[in-house]
Structure formats: C-alpha cells, structure tokens
Amino acid sequence: MELDRRSFLRTATAGGALFAVGGALPASAAPGGFPDYRYVRTLLKPEQLKYNPTGEIIFPCVRGVYDRLSNRIGRYYLYYAPHDAPGGICLAYGDSLEGPFTEYPHNPIVANEWQPHYSVKHVSSPHVLWHREAREMWLYFHGDNNTTRLARSKDGIHFTYDKAVLTTSMMPAGTTETSYARVFRHHLPSRGARYVMVFMRNTTANHRDICWGWSPEGRNWTFDHEPLIDHAKVGAINVGGPHLLHKNGSTYVVYNSDKESGGNILITEVGNDFSRRDHLGVFYDSRSTAPENGRAAAPAFGTDRGVPYMIYEAGERLSGVIAMARG
C-alpha cells in the first residue's frame, strides 16, 4: 500500500491537485514513512572544479561540523571523489545544505599514494564518520576496489592513516571487490558492537550485492558472509551505494540499483538487529530528465535547521554530478 500511495501522490502533485498549504509536499510519502525527496539543484559539477583529473565525481558524504570542529571553514563539509585513476578524496564546504559549496583549494586531501602506507591506482568513495569517543573525523575510503581503508583527523581536512579495515580476503572465496563502505554508530548488544558497516561486494559472477559488518570501536570488524541485500531479491543486476537510516524505532538500508535495472534508490527494512529483509521498493524514483537522466545513486543524508536533505549522484555513472534533493 505504501508504494501505491506514493505513486498516487506523485501523479496528483504533478497535476497540481494535492499540494498542502504553501505548496509543500506531504511529509511522509516514501516507504517507511520517510520524506518524499524531490530534486532541487546541482551542487557540484566536475567541469567547474579545479581538481578534475578524470572529468567525473561520485559518492558524496556530507557532515555538519558546526558543533564539532572549532577551526571549521564552513558549517558543512561535503566529501566526494573522482573514481577513475588516480581518484583522490576531495572536500567542499558551505554554510547550508542548499549550497553553494566551495571547493577546498588543496584537493585532494587524500591521494592514491600515501607512503609508506600504500601506492594504488586510485582511491575513492569517501565516507566520513564523527567518532564520538575519539572526537575525530574518521574517513573510510577504498583503494583499490578490493580494499577499504581508514584515516583519522582532528579537523576533517588533514588526515592520519590508520589501516585497512576490509579486504576481499575477509569475505568468501570468489569475492573480487569490497568497496563503497559507509559506517554508522549503531548498537548491537548481542554482538558487542557499537558500529556497523554497509558496503558493496562483487564476485566472480559479476553481480554486486550489499553486505555488512559490525565492530566495537570502528577499527576491527566482523563481517557477515551472506548478503544483506541480494541483488536478485530486489530484481536488479547490481546494487550499491548503501546508507543506513532510522525511522519509527526501526532500521533501514537505502541503496541504488544499476541503470539497466531502473537506476532508482531502493529501501529495505533490516530491523535494529539486522534480522529482517523486508524489501519495500522504490525510495527515490530517478527522473528521465537532466541531471538524473534515469539514474540516482549513492545517497547521503543530512538535516539543516529541521529540513531533511539527500545529497546524491545524479546521472550516468562516471559522467554525472552531485545533486541535492529536499524532503
């Protein structure tokens, strides 16, 4: 019924018949009672950036730092990266999730060579977590696709390398990629964990699933060898770009399907203990028009003065932009 209701709302609002007072959309029109996010504007385009080695950017992560960092250069830090070699973890900053965001002048803040720790073809997919106990910004990123790494920072700009936290060798035989990880504080008392990781796993079958793991402190991890989201169970060739959300006392994973499978952002309820697999369908329906052109991916979420926002990839993979939708 949720999906039917959402389709009805979308059709009715397109005809101008179901706007609430002031033209606002209903607050809970998406599955799980989440806001019905609508595209507002593009935040970053590769051609407008000084650091632009490959003409593409992916995987945004936005963090409010106004109440955490004393020497901040903006209220919000937006991390992103090119994917293709050499990649490079980049930063933009701004005072509102509506934008504008200003490119940090010394990007990349993490490069594909970091001696003596690693030298790889590329680094990409930044996800930054405010680590409460350490009072640091913890950056998870991949480089190459078979390794997820951790670096740590007191200011969100200058990072110290920590270690590799996930490799293909930690997953079942046949695993070829373990990347695009996001980490969240989430208590799992039965597993002695306070942090969970969701990430994309590829195999020799060349179908990508969402997997997960748990950790007491965010550095040392245990991983489930079974997919959290099996691509076939949601009718996709590949799924990726996972993000954890909480609503009404439960836990959900939102993630994107490949363009050939719809190019939409989907949602699955996993429950607070990750024992459920309730696939709820489309969380965000990508538009056929620019900048999405039939693909929305890798969502990140934030709230600015009580207004919910989704920051995400819009457009064909490796030729898109970073866009913003408002809930």
Side-chain angles (χ1 to χ4, degrees):
M1 293 299 293
E2 287 278 6
L3 294 179
D4 291 342
R5 178 172 178 265
R6 190 180 188 210
S7 298
F8 167 72
L9 289 170
R10 188 159 281 163
T11 301
T13 52
L18 198 63
F19 281 97
V21 176
L25 287 168
S28 297
F34 288 96
D36 192 6
Y37 290 92
R38 294 297 183 99
Y39 167 78
V40 177
R41 65 176 58 91
T42 295
L43 296 178
L44 297 176
K45 296 180 179 180
E47 62 268 23
Q48 296 174 343
L49 299 172
K50 177 181 176 182
Y51 180 75
N52 179 24
T54 58
E56 45 86 19
I57 50 176
I58 66 166
F59 210 80
C61 176
V62 64
R63 286 290 170 261
V65 297
Y66 49 86
D67 57 348
R68 292 167 175 166
L69 304 180
S70 57
N71 296 320
R72 60 188 178 272
I73 55 177
R75 295 182 79 245
Y76 294 93
Y77 285 7
L78 175 56
Y79 299 89
Y80 62 96
H83 179 269
D84 285 352
I89 308 305
C90 297
L91 170 67
Y93 58 92
D95 291 326
S96 169
L97 292 182
E98 295 269 353
F101 281 87
T102 300
E103 181 184 9
Y104 181 64
H106 304 298
N107 281 331
I109 57 175
V110 172
N112 64 316
E113 294 193 12
W114 195 342
Q115 299 298 338
H117 309 297
Y118 62 76
S119 176
V120 295
K121 291 181 179 179
H122 81 287
V123 292
S124 193
S125 72
H127 178 82
V128 175
L129 165 81
W130 171 250
H131 196 284
R132 186 184 306 174
E133 292 82 8
R135 298 196 61 79
E136 294 176 335
M137 305 289 275
W138 285 25
L139 165 66
Y140 298 86
F141 62 103
H142 80 247
D144 284 325
N145 290 334
N146 59 2
T147 303
T148 293
R149 305 176 186 275
L150 169 64
R152 300 164 60 172
S153 173
K154 294 293 188 183
D155 64 4
I157 301 173
H158 304 93
F159 284 86
T160 300
Y161 187 76
D162 191 327
K163 67 174 189 172
V165 293
L166 170 61
T167 69
T168 52
S169 65
M170 299 176 182
M171 298 298 290
T175 299
T176 58
E177 298 176 22
T178 47
S179 53
Y180 299 98
R182 294 193 191 272
V183 173
F184 303 88
R185 187 176 178 90
H186 182 89
H187 282 217
L188 291 170
S190 64
R191 300 179 187 268
R194 288 184 293 181
Y195 294 89
V196 299
M197 177 190 294
V198 287
F199 61 96
M200 188 199 75
R201 172 186 174 229
N202 195 15
T203 69
T204 51
N206 202 30
H207 289 286
R208 293 163 176 84
D209 298 318
I210 304 301
C211 290
W212 77 294
W214 55 93
S215 169
E217 78 301 278
R219 295 185 69 246
N220 301 293
W221 294 85
T222 301
F223 298 103
D224 192 336
H225 285 190
E226 295 298 320
L228 181 65
I229 313 293
D230 185 309
H231 69 280
K233 297 291 180 63
V234 295
I237 300 170
N238 295 295
V239 290
H243 195 291
L244 212 64
L245 290 177
H246 302 280
K247 189 77 171 179
N248 298 327
S250 192
T251 301
Y252 302 78
V253 178
V254 293
Y255 51 95
N256 61 269
S257 64
D258 57 287
K259 187 173 181 179
E260 291 74 16
S261 304
N264 297 318
I265 296 174
L266 310 179
I267 181 170
T268 294
E269 185 174 5
V270 297
N272 293 332
D273 62 357
F274 280 64
S275 65
R276 301 178 66 171
R277 301 292 185 271
D278 296 339
H279 305 306
L280 302 180
V282 175
F283 178 87
Y284 181 84
D285 194 345
S286 63
R287 306 178 308 162
S288 60
T289 55
E292 292 171 0
N293 297 320
R295 180 180 179 272
F301 297 85
T303 301
D304 188 358
R305 299 173 179 91
V307 178
Y309 292 88
M310 181 176 75
I311 314 299
Y312 63 106
E313 293 178 33
E316 293 277 0
R317 176 166 167 76
L318 304 186
S319 62
V321 299
I322 306 301
M324 178 268 289
R326 187 191 302 121

